[in-house]
Every structure is written in C-alpha cells, then in structure tokens.
C-alpha cells in the first residue's frame, strides 16, 4: 500500500494533518487504532480551546508563566499568532462547531466578554489564564470537535481512513522514514509513504491512574525513538489536579470509574477543601485554585496525604445548569454534590515527546509529529489549560501542509523484514499483568513527586520489564504485545529523563528528608511562580 502522506492517529492533530495535506492535493492515508471517536483522547477533552483575543501578549505571557518559564518563545509565538485564524478556518468555517454562545451563559459572562474580539461566544476562564479566552461546548468540547472532523474527512476525496489498525514500526532506509508496518485484520502490511505524520497521543496507559482513554500507550514516541529520532522533555508528565476519586467517595460502587473534572469548574468559582473542610489553595499560591496546574496538583496530593481526602466544593455554582455533562457523570456514580466531589491528581498529558520544529518536522527526514506525542516547545515544563487542542490543531495543519509538499509522489517501495510471528499468541492476562506492574512502578516512583532513589529503582524495574516484553515481542505480532513494548519504552524514557533533569514545572524532584509535610510547596519546585508559604509551614 502506498500514500503521499501517512498519518498515524485520528485525534485532532491527526485529523488536522490529514485535512491540511488533502487540501494541498496529497493522497492521504490515516491509520488509527480507534474504532469509535471516544477511543481518541481529543474526544475526551472537556474544557475547550483557548484562542487569542484582543491581548495576544497576555496569552503568550500566561503560557510562559504556566511553563515555569521554560516554554520556547518562538513556539509560543507561533501558537498564539495562528490560533485565531486556524480556529476560524477549520473549526468554525469548515466544521461548523457550535461553541457555546453568550446568550447561553449568564449576564456576567456577557459583560466579561464584552471587550473581546469574539463577544458572541461564551468564553470561559481556567487555571493559569489571566482572562476569559476559552471557546467551549459545555464541558465536553472534544466530542463536539472530533466527531464532525472525522465525518468531514470520511467524506472527503483524497483521504482514506483505516480503523482498528496498529502501526507497529517505522520503515526506514538509510535513516529516512519511508512509512510504517501496519497490523490490520490480522495481517501485517507495509505502508510506503512519501511523508509520515505521527499523531498517536499520550502515555496514559503507562500509569495506573490516568484521564486518557485506554490505548494511550506512547506508540508514536516509542516508534520514533526506536527508529533513531530525537525525543526530548519526557520528564514533563502533567497530572491533572481534579479527577474524580472513587477511592475516597463513601457512596461509590466498587466498580465506579474516575473521570476528569474540568478546570473550568474552578474557573467559575469552585474551591478545593481537605477532609477537615479547610480551603488550602490560598495558602499555597496567590491565584489559589487558578494557579498553574502543576502547583495545584502537588497541593492536592499533599492535602490528601495529610488529611486523607480532598473535595471540590461546587456549592457556590449553579453546577447542574453550568456543567450538565459533568453533573450527569456525578449522578451516574452517586456523588453527593452537597458534600463536594472527591478528587485526586491523575496522569493527564505528556508535555515532551518527539522533538519537532515549527512545521512539525522531526529529526529524521520525512518524519513529522503533532499533538501530544510531539514536543513542540509550547508547553515547556507544564501545559497551560485548554492549549492541547489548539496545539494539535496548529501543528497538525502545519505538519500536514509540509508533509504534503515533501511527500507528494515520493512514496518509494523499500526492502523490509516483516516481524516474526512464529510463536503461539499470548493470553490477554499476560499483557494485563505486565501493564499492572508498569502502572504500579510509574505511579509509585515516577509520579507527581519523584526522588533520586525512587527513579533509580524505577529504571531498574523498567529495564527488567522491558527485557521480558522484548523477549516475547521478537516472535509474536499482536496489538497488545506491541502496545506493551511501546509503553515500556516510553516509561523508561520518562524515568531516564527525570533522573537527569532538575525540577521544573510538572517534574518535581524532591528530597524525601527535606520536604515539608504540609500541602504547600517544598520551597524549590515553585520558586518565582507566585507561591506563598503553606499555613502548615
């Protein structure tokens, strides 16, 4: 099989790349593990998509501040300067996404938006943002963006989508990427492409608790790394502060599943309280619940350790009217909203990944990456809320345009050795048990706070686990085995990078003997970020 442009992944970044390449006249093949839109992390996005309003410099400053001062200024400028045009072109004009309008919000919303360039929309504010600039559809924006995107591509000439298909490895010839081997319908087939765009999402399955959908196994990062591409900033794994925590909910059923509680809820006035009912964030940061995501996540984690439980108090909101989708999720799990929503940090987003430039080009010729699997430099050490969809859209379009120019009529058949599949298939329990070991190691030792000794132990465990998995992967071809391999590779890259890097943003390296025991900062992670001492110090 041949294509001008091969896109691996069907989230917003993959869709944007496919659309942009097709607009340039390229023949595009999209290969995706997904069989339903909800299989992609983009479909799960709640908060929305931040867009430049009348103060682009303020937006850029917020991104840099959230990143702990580590974001690439040129990448930030690219994101901010192109955000408005790409959202209007793709989401509004092409897809017709019906973002919430001011009339659907409150009078206060209308007044807050009155001096903006998009005052017809109900713009939200989330943590780390200094003003309202987030387009949204209730608290389920991703589904309202991704589903019409997939429908549009499915009906578009020049784009062919293959679902329930797994990219196994990149095909290379003398260091140049020529496509990928793909497992579909039980058969392995090479796909030769003039250019290949990785848009495979994050690494949620590397952790026991994540806000990602199942299947976020770091495929793009691992395939690129194994092929020799540069991967960077893997230590920056962001944890969302407020995922529903059934473990501390006395009304939760044994099989109750966690879910993300959007930043927008805190943006509208919800507050965090510990088990004693104390609101602790004002003692941690001058912006309280609207502090950068990494600061809030660490504070929630420490408050849970100290008091046993943290809840998100929504009593000052008209929660059911403002967030009906979230209210329904709470009702499904029997959450007592009067008592607050029990929350805990959960793995959420990889800020590092395949290193790319401003056009999505990776270090290997004819290889591109966009979305969560790419390290663009926009996020630095910590991502600002509601910039992931925007980054995927901006870099997806740029990567698709450039890939089309590079790959049109350039697909070449090259020699390749098909993977061996000589041994019997493994039972599902094999991969499940290995993923359990992986998740326990990452949660325990490479989680929201890390120690040097813990990272040494993690690397040793991960090397052993990867060795075991590699032994099976050499003679077996299956989605579960390759996903397990990719998750092990990605996890080891995170642990190695974390051991070699100083604390910044969501990479918090602590001294277990020197850290305070309260719910504030340890004095180093958040220096210069507006953090105030904890009341318990």
């Amino acid at each position: 099989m041949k294509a001008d442009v091969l896109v691996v992944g069907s989230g917003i970044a993959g869709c944007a790349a496919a659309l942009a390449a097709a607009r340039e006249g390229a023949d595009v093949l999209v290969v995706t593990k997904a069989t339903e839109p909800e299989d992609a992390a983009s479909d799960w996005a709640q908060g929305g998509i931040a867009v430049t309003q009348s103060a682009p410099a303020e937006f850029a400053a917020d991104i840099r501040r959230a990143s702990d001062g580590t974001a690439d200024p040129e990448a930030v400028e690219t994101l901010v300067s192109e955000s408005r045009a790409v959202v209007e072109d793709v989401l509004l004009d092409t897809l017709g996404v019906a973002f919430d309008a001011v009339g659907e919000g409150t009078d206060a919303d209308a007044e807050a938006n009155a001096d903006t360039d998009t005052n017809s929309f109900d713009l939200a504010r989330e943590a780390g943002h200094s003003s309202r600039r987030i387009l949204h559809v209730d608290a389920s924006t991703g589904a309202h963006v991704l589903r019409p995107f997939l429908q549009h591509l499915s009906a578009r000439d020049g784009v062919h989508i293959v679902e329930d298909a797994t990219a196994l490895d990149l095909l290379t010839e003398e260091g140049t990427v020529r496509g990928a081997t793909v497992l579909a319908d039980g058969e392995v087939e090479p796909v030769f492409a003039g250019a290949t765009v990785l848009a495979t999402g994050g690494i949620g399955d590397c952790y026991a608790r994540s806000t990602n959908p199942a299947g976020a196994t770091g495929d793009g990062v691992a395939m690129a790394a194994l092929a020799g591409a540069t991967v960077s900033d893997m230590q920056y794994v962001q944890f969302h502060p407020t995922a529903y925590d059934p473990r501390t909910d006395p009304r939760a059923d044994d099989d109750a599943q966690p879910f993300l509680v959007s930043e927008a809820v805190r943006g509208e006035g919800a507050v965090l309280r510990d088990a004693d009912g104390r609101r602790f964030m004002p003692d941690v940061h001058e912006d309280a619940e609207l502090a950068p995501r990494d600061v809030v996540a660490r504070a929630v984690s420490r408050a849970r350790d100290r008091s046993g439980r943290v809840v998100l108090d929504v009593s000052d909101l008209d929660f059911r009217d403002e967030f009906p989708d979230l209210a329904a999720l709470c009702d499904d799990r029997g959450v007592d909203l009067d008592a607050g929503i029990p929350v805990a940090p959960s793995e959420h987003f990889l800020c590092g990944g395949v290193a790319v430039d401003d056009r999505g080009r990776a270090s290997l010729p004819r290889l591109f990456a966009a979305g969560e699997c790419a390290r663009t430099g926009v996020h630095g050490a910590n991502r600002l809320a509601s910039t992931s969809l925007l980054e995927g859209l901006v870099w997806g379009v740029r990567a698709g345009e450039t890939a089309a120019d590079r790959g049109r009529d350039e697909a070449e058949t090259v020699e390749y050795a098909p993977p061996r599949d000589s041994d019997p298939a493994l039972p599902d329990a094999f991969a499940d048990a290995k993923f359990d070991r992986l998740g326990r190691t990452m949660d325990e030792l490479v989680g929201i706070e890390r120690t040097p000794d813990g990272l040494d132990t993690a690397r040793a465990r991960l090397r052993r686990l990867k060795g075991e998995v590699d032994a099976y992967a050499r003679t077996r071809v299956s989605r579960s085995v390759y996903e397990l391999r990719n998750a092990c590779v990605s996890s080891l890259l995170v642990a190695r990078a974390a051991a070699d890097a100083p604390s910044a943003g969501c990479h918090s390296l602590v001294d277990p003997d020197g850290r305070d025991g309260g719910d504030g900062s340890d004095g180093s992670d958040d220096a210069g970020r507006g953090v105030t001492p904890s009341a318990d110090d």
Side-chain angles (χ1 to χ4, degrees), residues 19-375:
L19 174 65
R23 283 176 167 179
E24 296 296 314
D27 177 34
V28 181
L29 175 65
V30 179
V31 170
T32 176
K33 295 193 298 187
T35 57
E36 300 290 342
E38 55 264 32
D39 293 337
S42 295
D43 193 74
W44 291 34
Q46 290 185 359
I49 184 165
V51 178
T52 303
Q53 303 302 325
S54 56
E58 180 186 83
F59 187 14
D62 287 347
I63 295 172
R64 292 193 297 269
R65 187 180 306 109
S67 78
D68 203 0
T70 62
D72 181 336
E74 293 183 1
V76 173
E77 174 61 23
T78 296
L79 185 81
V80 171
S81 64
E82 297 199 6
S83 65
R84 188 174 189 80
V86 75
V87 166
E88 290 179 349
D89 171 23
V90 177
L91 302 188
L92 296 179
D93 296 342
T94 301
L95 303 182
V97 177
F99 292 109
D100 287 354
V102 167
E104 298 162 10
T106 65
D107 292 340
D109 293 333
E111 182 177 350
N113 296 339
D115 62 349
T116 71
D117 294 334
T118 54
N119 57 14
S120 62
F121 293 112
D122 173 31
L123 301 177
R125 182 186 177 193
E126 297 184 9
H129 290 269
S130 55
S131 64
R132 291 179 176 267
R133 61 167 69 96
I134 299 167
L135 297 166
H136 63 96
V137 184
D138 186 29
S140 55
T141 306
H144 292 274
V145 170
L146 186 60
R147 298 180 189 203
F149 216 152
L150 289 168
Q151 291 171 0
H152 177 83
L153 290 177
S154 297
R156 189 181 184 95
D157 291 339
V159 178
H160 180 54
I161 301 175
V162 180
E163 298 179 336
D164 197 17
T166 304
L168 302 179
D169 284 300
L170 294 174
L171 291 171
T172 60
E173 180 190 46
E174 298 179 350
T176 296
V177 174
R178 298 294 186 182
T181 52
V182 174
L183 174 65
D185 296 327
E187 300 292 332
V188 177
E189 181 178 2
V191 176
F192 302 108
T196 300
V197 181
L198 298 174
T200 57
I203 62 169
D205 279 4
C206 296
Y207 287 83
R209 293 186 297 275
S210 173
T211 63
N212 294 180
T217 48
D219 300 332
V221 172
M223 287 191 296
L226 292 172
T230 300
V231 173
S232 61
D233 284 356
M234 289 295 289
Q235 69 271 25
Y236 298 136
V237 179
Q238 186 179 75
F239 289 75
H240 198 286
T242 55
Y244 166 65
D245 182 22
R247 298 166 298 170
T248 58
D249 186 354
R251 296 174 51 159
D253 296 332
D254 292 340
D255 60 351
Q257 296 298 308
F259 61 89
L260 184 66
V261 183
S262 172
E263 299 262 6
V265 180
R266 282 178 281 132
E268 294 301 321
V271 299
L272 292 159
R273 299 188 185 278
D274 63 17
D276 301 318
R278 183 174 74 92
R279 183 186 178 194
F280 53 87
M281 280 308 303
D283 294 327
V284 177
H285 192 279
E286 61 186 7
D287 291 334
E289 280 78 8
L290 296 183
R293 194 174 271 177
D294 62 308
V295 176
V296 181
R298 281 192 292 273
V300 170
S301 178
R302 294 176 184 180
R304 288 182 76 257
D305 289 346
R306 176 180 56 78
S307 72
R309 187 171 187 249
V310 168
V311 300
L312 187 64
D313 181 355
V314 298
S315 60
D316 286 341
L317 284 68
D318 190 351
F319 184 69
R320 291 191 180 280
D321 284 345
E322 292 188 44
F323 301 98
D325 293 348
L326 287 174
L329 290 172
C330 290
D331 290 342
D332 289 344
R333 290 156 178 80
V335 175
D336 181 0
L337 292 177
D338 291 335
I341 304 170
V343 294
S346 184
E347 190 281 334
H348 184 57
F349 190 87
L350 176 64
C351 297
V354 183
V356 299
D357 66 7
D358 65 340
R359 303 299 307 188
R361 290 174 290 220
S363 61
L364 297 181
R366 299 183 183 274
L367 180 65
F368 299 75
E372 191 172 350
C373 73
R375 185 273 182 194

Side-chain angles (χ1 to χ4, degrees), residues 454-505:
L455 290 172
D456 286 344
T457 301
R459 285 186 293 171
R461 290 185 189 176
L462 293 170
R463 283 193 297 267
R464 287 195 297 271
L465 180 58
K466 180 180 179 296
E468 295 170 14
V469 173
D470 285 346
Y472 287 96
R474 291 189 191 102
T475 56
R476 292 171 176 83
V477 175
S478 72
R479 171 173 167 171
S480 63
V481 169
Y482 273 77
E483 285 184 326
L484 185 56
R485 180 205 68 174
N486 293 339
C488 288
V489 170
S490 296
S491 297
L492 195 51
L493 288 169
V494 172
R496 287 174 176 171
D500 294 336
S503 286

Side-chain angles (χ1 to χ4, degrees), residues 490-530:
S490 296
S491 297
L492 195 51
L493 288 169
V494 172
R496 287 174 176 171
D500 294 336
S503 286
C506 56
H507 169 49
S508 178
L509 194 61
V510 301
D511 177 357
D513 298 323
R515 196 194 85 183
D516 69 59
D519 52 357
S521 169
D522 67 0
S524 61
D525 297 342
D526 305 310
R529 305 186 71 196

